[in-house]
Amino acid sequence: MRIAISAYDRGSSGISSYTLELAKLLSRDVRVSLIAFDDVEVPGVEVLPIRLPSRPRALPLLTFLRNRGEVAEALRGYDVVHETLPPWGSPAERLVTTRWGYVSYLGLVRVRMAGLSFPENLGALPVTLQHYVMDSASRRRAAHVIDVSSESPNFVPPMMEPGRPKDYGCSGRLRLLFVSRDLGMPRKNLRVVLEALRLVRAPVELHLVGGGRIPGRPPVPTVSHGPLPREGVTALMREVDLLVLPSTYEELGFVGLEAYSVGLPAITSDIPSFRAIYRPSPKFPPGDPRALADIIDGLSCGELERLGRSELEHLRAMNEAARRKLMAIYRCALESRD
């Protein structure tokens, strides 16, 4: 079976990481090709580069229409095309596409208006309208639509290659990690972490990865690492004690999978995507700093190690479940067009 994945776009953040991990997972069982708009190498995977002449973030539909023909030609002849970035697989004959998110498009407009930083939030309505048009085009053509961010009959868990587990140990201060491309983005919710740290009794050192403005003054010693590549984030995860994912809305929150891959314990907000994906992680209402503080204070050294190891095992189980489900979906997609 020959599978094409469409498409890798470095600017799509968590979706780009998901796309690479999907390609690595599938390459264990089938021949995989990856449509890529940026330079990337994936061992065991054929990369099909397509250079988009321009990619204005405010006009994703126009970018697709300008380049649809080249993508259609690249996808010709594959048994199944797995689309991770709608509508970049929609010209394919046999299509499996991905549904991102768990709210309506009107709800997504509200999320983007309130949850993105200025001036990105100005594009909430026009950009979301374009995504509606693009997603609809893909779903009409798809033999199967999988969900990755909410539990449903079509849920297929996201995947991440496990790495070398971190070493566990306790020092006099809990090293807490928060990661975001934009630290000031409202929906990433760093604010609630800062409020919780004012209530925590245990000594804590906060580690921040990302750019942008911090929404307030940290009440604990803080180390700002600035933006880091994926490899740098993974290396830092082996040095800290705990990751917090406090988002008010997230389609995936891929940094949580990166933490799971090295056995770094993670606390998450109690939102649908995190409930579906990060089941072992302790959860708190995203607007309740006291609940977050209580979880942090309740994690002993032994509990941190137990939690990290259970999350790593959960990741391995998700990978195997995803592999089985996807192979069954591809076989059904082939049969539906024969």
Side-chain angles (χ1 to χ4, degrees):
M1 188 184 300
R2 296 183 68 215
I3 306 294
I5 301 175
S6 187
Y8 172 76
D9 176 0
R10 187 178 294 119
S12 62
S13 189
I15 296 178
S16 65
S17 299
Y18 172 88
T19 301
L20 295 181
E21 293 298 327
L22 173 66
K24 288 192 285 187
L25 180 75
L26 294 179
S27 67
R28 292 164 45 186
D29 297 299
V30 295
R31 294 173 59 191
V32 180
S33 299
L34 173 64
I35 300 290
F37 304 144
D38 298 286
D39 293 332
V40 68
E41 293 184 7
V42 187
V45 174
E46 177 190 26
V47 175
L48 305 176
I50 292 180
R51 294 291 174 256
L52 303 180
S54 63
R55 282 182 279 178
R57 293 190 64 186
L59 298 171
L61 179 57
L62 178 61
T63 301
F64 171 70
L65 294 175
R66 283 177 172 174
N67 298 278
R68 184 183 188 280
E70 187 174 356
V71 172
E73 184 62 30
L75 295 177
R76 196 184 307 276
Y78 285 93
D79 295 315
V80 176
V81 171
H82 186 143
E83 178 186 64
T84 59
L85 190 64
W88 290 101
S90 58
E93 180 182 354
R94 297 182 182 89
L95 177 66
V96 172
T97 192
T98 309
R99 186 197 311 273
W100 295 100
Y102 49 86
V103 298
S104 67
Y105 287 95
L106 182 58
L108 188 56
V109 170
R110 296 192 187 103
V111 167
R112 287 172 170 169
M113 289 183 68
L116 295 179
S117 300
F118 179 85
E120 264 189 303
N121 59 354
L122 298 180
L125 180 58
V127 172
T128 304
L129 178 60
Q130 292 174 78
H131 286 166
Y132 167 76
V133 172
M134 296 188 297
D135 292 350
S136 298
S138 289
R139 292 172 193 173
R140 282 195 301 268
R141 290 190 51 81
H144 195 94
V145 180
I146 69 171
D147 289 322
V148 295
S149 49
S150 62
E151 291 185 296
S152 76
N154 295 326
F155 176 68
V156 175
M159 65 292 300
M160 175 75 191
E161 184 177 32
R164 175 177 58 83
K166 72 184 303 296
D167 294 325
Y168 297 95
C170 288
S171 63
R173 181 175 286 167
L174 181 74
R175 294 162 297 180
L176 179 67
L177 176 63
F178 176 90
V179 180
S180 175
R181 173 174 55 87
D182 177 0
L183 296 172
M185 187 183 297
R187 71 175 176 87
K188 296 296 185 178
N189 208 18
L190 176 56
R191 175 193 58 79
V192 82
V193 177
L194 301 182
E195 291 179 7
L197 292 180
R198 293 186 175 90
L199 305 172
V200 168
R201 298 187 301 274
V204 175
E205 179 179 271
L206 178 63
H207 289 253
L208 299 175
V209 173
R213 186 175 180 181
I214 300 172
R217 183 184 295 276
V220 297
T222 301
V223 180
S224 295
H225 299 270
L228 292 176
R230 282 187 70 187
E231 298 78 9
V233 174
T234 302
L236 180 60
M237 285 177 170
R238 292 193 173 95
E239 301 299 324
V240 298
D241 303 307
L242 181 66
L243 172 77
V244 62
L245 272 173
S247 303
T248 58
Y249 174 84
E250 204 75 64
E251 293 165 344
L252 181 58
F254 201 86
V255 69
L257 291 174
E258 293 172 328
Y260 272 39
S261 75
V262 299
L264 174 66
I267 301 172
T268 78
S269 53
D270 191 12
I271 59 176
S273 55
F274 290 172
R275 287 197 296 271
I277 299 168
Y278 302 115
R279 292 183 180 179
S281 293
K283 295 176 178 62
F284 65 96
D288 189 345
R290 167 55 70 185
L292 174 57
D294 288 345
I295 292 173
I296 294 172
D297 276 329
L299 290 172
S300 66
C301 185
E303 179 65 15
L304 285 169
E305 181 172 354
R306 185 205 64 78
L307 180 60
R309 294 189 186 281
S310 69
E311 291 175 347
L312 180 55
E313 287 306 309
H314 181 68
L315 177 66
R316 293 190 175 109
M318 285 200 300
N319 287 345
E320 185 57 27
R323 189 182 67 82
R324 291 196 309 267
K325 289 185 176 184
L326 288 172
M327 296 309 298
I329 288 169
Y330 298 155
R331 286 192 289 269
C332 288
L334 273 171
E335 293 168 1
S336 69
R337 296 297 178 94
D338 288 342

